[in-house]
Amino acid sequence: MRTADLEARIAGWSRPGGPFDPAVLTAHDEAESFPAEACAALDAWGLPEYYVPVRYGGRQDRLDEFLALLRRIAARDLTVAVAHGKTFLGGVCAWVAQEDGPADLLARHVLAGQPVAWGLTEPDGGSDLLAGSLTATRHGSGWLLSGRKWPVNNATRGNLMCVLARTDPQGGPRGFTVFLIDKRATPAGTVRPLPKMPTHGIRGADISGVELRAARVPAHALVGTVGGGLELVLKSLQLTRIVCVSLSLGAGDHALGLLRRFLGERRLYGRDLVALPHVRVTAGRAVARQFLAEAVAHTAARAAHQVPEELSVVSAVAKAFVPTLIHGQLRLVGDLLGARGFLTGVEGYGGFAKLERDHQVVPLFDGSTWVNRAGLAGVLPLLRPGRRATAPGAASPVRWLREEHRPAPLDTRRLRLSAPRDSVLGALPTLVAELTGNDGTPGAADQTASLARALLRAYERLGADLAGTRPTGGAPSTAALRLAERYEWCFAGAAALALHAARPRLHDGPWGRDGLWLRGCLALVLEGLDSGPSAATQVYDRLGTLLGSTPDVPVSVLDDTAPDEPARDGSVEVPAA
Amino acid sequence: MTTYGFDRAAPSEIQSWLVERLAEYLPDLGEAVDPHRQLGEYGLDSITVVAFAADVEEQLGIPVDPTAIWDYPTVSELAGYVADELAGRRPQAA
């Protein structure tokens, strides 16, 4: 992996006068101007190659690596990660459509450094894709497009844009089609940018729009099939929702870095700050949130390769859960930083206020938290425990979360709009049963096992509460949304247990000894399920103490800077769908 | 054990059953669902379509991806599709 290389480069670019110099990026933020220097540096490094799958000449062959790269950028500046990473979103429809679209053409443009935008939303349309009114009508061998897409990231800078257009005046789920527009190839005066919108966060990003007036596009602009647009977009969103959570992971890294520095510098009442129990426990909660977010994000990224037919659920969980979890983490860190989290001119800490503002857009991207949670709520009865046979052993997350496992190539043909099962949460009973008692000292192992059993009981209660429900459409009730939220917490707990079972390395080191990181995750999950364990405070206290006392140890359970290694477990085959 | 209560070999009964199911998603409709009318005309949003497919799948015990509903966009056409699916499979044990 080149994650370590990118991280080292960005560290160099962050020196005074460099493209990632915080002063330069802050100045862009204040002026609401695009962080062009930082994006140019990423272009020069070769980041665009990671937006293009290997089969089209790029370097993207595993989402976990791609998430790790974007996370490193987001950890320095979220606006830059959003501004540059958007090209992945712009191109994804073409990759998902495979040979039914201009993937080769688009790949050449992206590899040449062209930004690409993704035009889905329209004024007054909200998140309902079926409400889109931008139309495409046949014209000779090509098409004429008319209407507006707004607000769209990169809409003005991007010469290329994938848009969802209404091709059947009646609309409906087979009434929309995706087109790839190259603005430079459209007749003059038919494409007009809409002004950049002032925003609360990511102020430098190109959040604008586009207006098309009978803009002529050629036949080869068609992405996928006529009428296949909604399906294509919904499947593409399953991938982009997982990628989006890397922005939250990076925001969490940034915040924890600031907190760690603060813990090392700040003295209160003649003592180090970490001498205060409240500070340790709060800091420990923030750390546990980062680990749990990592477990969900990493599991989702691997799931994309191994169980793509389940991604409608996995991506909805990841996108609803992780940004919410990190939003809460930023509040905890902000509480501890006090005035330093609010003042913008304090050397070294001024970035927190910007980071907190920038992150507020992440829960909105690619379907808001509500949209994802509501979609999950609608199908929860199908996912209730015991309804379906659990996945075969080959699909167990423990197998495909192993460090040395090389993910199978992403097969977008296996994506579905509704998941036949959930292999991650379905594995929970087995994961709890197989927790060994020899993880660390007997007392710690007993505590871990006790927390895991409590999670299993909470999951069984969720199953019982789901037994009487049926799938629903429209706006879900508050009660149904709460069931979905409980499902997310249970999924997150299962992901953490699976990661623990898959990676012996995580049973050691400062965070892993005695299963500490896992107990932090399980304590959080149980609190989220209204079953907060009495041991939680003690676990957070230890995590917070470690944050302050081990300044050189990364706050991560993912060693994604390790050099890539060939698969040693022979598990490169794709399990049967 | 499946939960439907009709003759699965009779498309007309499947159609009646689908009409009843769909009506539950349209509480403000104020009239009977027309089996020959496009489902999109009833204003189902994309989440509702996914949920309705999930509902049919749940009740009949056969896989029904939302795209099946899109490709058979009236109750009448969907009933034909479902009848074929049911005829091609044995009732599934849950």
Side-chain angles (χ1 to χ4, degrees):
Chain A
M1 292 193 188
R2 292 180 74 207
T3 319
D5 182 64
L6 179 64
E7 186 161 30
R9 295 294 186 96
I10 297 177
W13 296 332
S14 299
R15 296 193 187 108
F20 274 77
D21 175 359
V24 171
L25 293 168
T26 300
H28 275 303
D29 188 61
E30 288 172 354
E32 300 180 59
S33 57
F34 191 79
E37 303 89 343
C39 287
L42 294 172
D43 283 340
W45 182 80
L47 188 63
E49 295 171 22
Y50 288 89
Y51 299 149
V52 179
V54 166
R55 64 182 294 189
Y56 300 112
R59 298 181 70 148
Q60 186 185 97
D61 65 348
R62 45 191 300 175
L63 277 193
D64 55 356
E65 179 185 34
F66 185 55
L67 261 71
L69 291 169
L70 268 189
R71 172 182 180 176
R72 293 305 186 284
I73 301 162
R76 292 285 177 164
D77 191 275
L78 203 52
T79 302
V80 174
V82 169
H84 203 286
K86 188 69 186 180
T87 292
F88 171 75
L89 276 63
V92 69
C93 277
W95 320 139
V96 171
Q98 297 192 5
E99 64 272 15
D100 290 331
D104 288 314
L105 175 75
L106 183 64
R108 285 198 296 277
H109 284 300
V110 174
L111 292 172
Q114 285 287 335
V116 187
W118 200 17
L120 297 181
T121 50
E122 299 183 12
D124 306 321
S127 294
D128 184 6
L129 297 172
L130 289 171
S133 64
L134 185 148
T135 58
T137 51
R138 289 187 189 274
H139 178 78
S141 63
W143 299 79
L144 289 180
L145 272 62
S146 292
R148 289 179 169 198
K149 287 294 175 186
W150 175 96
V152 177
N153 194 353
N154 264 349
T156 302
R157 289 180 62 253
N159 284 320
L160 298 148
M161 181 190 279
C162 269
V163 298
L164 181 66
R166 182 180 288 246
T167 38
D168 179 344
Q170 303 300 316
R174 288 296 190 212
F176 291 83
T177 305
V178 175
F179 294 91
L180 173 64
I181 300 171
D182 186 341
K183 291 181 194 172
R184 297 163 299 187
T186 52
T190 62
V191 178
R192 183 173 74 94
L194 298 173
K196 169 177 161 57
M197 299 298 297
T199 48
H200 176 63
I202 59 163
R203 293 158 52 108
D206 170 20
I207 306 293
S208 53
V210 67
E211 181 177 74
L212 308 174
R213 292 182 179 173
R216 199 167 65 231
V217 302
H220 67 254
L222 175 67
V223 183
T225 56
V226 176
L230 186 71
E231 180 179 357
L232 186 55
V233 166
L234 291 176
K235 288 178 174 175
S236 298
L237 282 168
Q238 293 177 10
L239 300 174
T240 62
R241 283 170 177 163
I242 292 171
V243 169
C244 271
V245 304
S246 66
L247 302 171
S248 289
L249 295 184
D253 290 334
H254 194 164
L256 289 174
L258 292 172
L259 175 59
R260 196 175 230 180
R261 175 178 165 182
F262 188 59
L263 294 178
E265 292 178 352
R266 181 74 168 145
R267 287 179 63 81
L268 207 60
Y269 312 120
R271 294 182 294 179
D272 288 338
L273 204 55
V274 286
L276 299 176
H278 168 72
V279 171
R280 290 197 303 272
V281 170
T282 305
R285 278 182 194 280
V287 170
R289 279 178 177 255
Q290 187 74 3
F291 292 157
L292 190 59
E294 283 189 315
V296 173
H298 191 66
T299 301
R302 289 277 177 103
H305 296 267
Q306 302 306 136
V307 285
E309 55 281 344
E310 300 178 17
L311 276 205
S312 62
V313 165
V314 173
S315 65
V317 168
K319 183 62 180 52
F321 185 78
V322 173
T324 306
L325 194 68
I326 295 300
H327 181 74
Q329 182 212 53
L330 297 182
R331 289 184 60 175
L332 294 171
V333 173
D335 283 349
L336 291 180
L337 290 179
R340 280 169 181 72
F342 189 67
L343 300 169
T344 55
V346 183
E347 191 277 321
Y349 294 102
F352 183 79
K354 175 179 181 303
L355 150 71
E356 198 180 27
R357 271 191 290 112
D358 283 356
H359 186 261
Q360 289 186 37
V361 77
V362 181
L364 300 177
F365 274 146
D366 292 7
S368 64
T369 301
W370 188 90
V371 165
N372 280 288
R373 191 164 287 158
L376 184 61
V379 298
L380 272 188
L382 289 178
L383 297 166
R384 71 169 185 270
R387 180 179 175 273
R388 294 274 175 87
T390 51
S396 165
V398 177
R399 178 177 164 86
W400 44 260
L401 281 172
R402 280 185 291 197
E403 201 131 37
E404 66 275 18
H405 175 82
R406 183 186 284 271
L410 183 59
D411 184 357
T412 58
R413 290 166 304 182
R414 285 172 59 195
L415 295 172
R416 291 188 53 186
L417 297 191
S418 66
R421 70 180 81 82
D422 178 346
S423 299
V424 177
L425 191 43
L428 183 64
T430 308
L431 289 165
V432 173
E434 292 180 353
L435 252 190
T436 56
N438 46 17
D439 285 347
T441 59
D446 289 347
Q447 193 182 59
T448 307
S450 166
L451 294 172
R453 285 193 300 272
L455 170 58
L456 187 57
R457 287 194 297 275
Y459 174 57
E460 287 163 353
R461 283 196 297 277
L462 173 64
D465 291 344
L466 287 175
T469 62
R470 294 194 44 234
T472 55
S477 65
T478 304
L481 285 171
R482 177 58 189 150
L483 287 173
E485 207 178 339
R486 285 166 62 192
Y487 191 91
E488 293 163 22
W489 283 108
C490 288
F491 181 101
L497 279 164
L499 199 60
H500 174 82
R503 303 198 174 172
R505 183 181 60 76
L506 294 181
H507 302 197
D508 204 356
W511 306 117
R513 197 165 301 133
D514 287 347
L516 181 63
W517 78 269
L518 178 62
R519 275 180 288 138
C521 288
L522 293 175
L524 274 184
V525 166
L526 290 169
E527 286 177 348
L529 292 164
D530 298 328
S531 305
S534 57
T537 303
Q538 177 214 346
V539 172
Y540 299 141
D541 192 297
R542 273 190 63 194
L543 287 169
T545 304
L546 276 171
L547 181 73
S549 61
T550 57
D552 298 324
V553 177
V555 188
S556 176
V557 291
L558 303 177
D559 186 16
D560 50 17
T561 57
D564 202 3
E565 294 176 22
R568 288 196 295 261
D569 62 352
S571 51
V572 293
E573 78 281 8
V574 182
Chain B
M1 193 171 74
T2 50
T3 53
Y4 52 91
F6 54 83
D7 180 358
R8 65 188 186 90
S12 63
E13 290 200 25
I14 295 171
Q15 180 169 305
S16 302
W17 181 83
L18 285 171
V19 163
E20 287 172 28
R21 293 280 77 72
L22 187 61
E24 293 175 18
Y25 290 84
L26 304 165
D28 301 324
L29 186 60
E31 61 184 32
V33 172
D34 179 349
H36 301 292
R37 195 171 166 191
Q38 298 274 322
L39 296 179
E41 294 178 40
Y42 289 112
L44 297 182
D45 63 27
S46 46
I47 289 178
T48 309
V49 167
V50 173
F52 180 55
D55 193 5
V56 176
E57 175 167 325
E58 165 81 354
Q59 299 281 315
L60 297 185
I62 55 168
V64 180
D65 202 65
T67 52
I69 295 181
W70 299 353
D71 293 330
Y72 301 90
T74 68
V75 167
S76 173
E77 290 172 282
L78 185 61
Y81 168 80
V82 168
D84 289 346
E85 286 292 305
L86 286 171
R89 297 162 190 267
R90 297 176 184 281
Q92 295 186 347

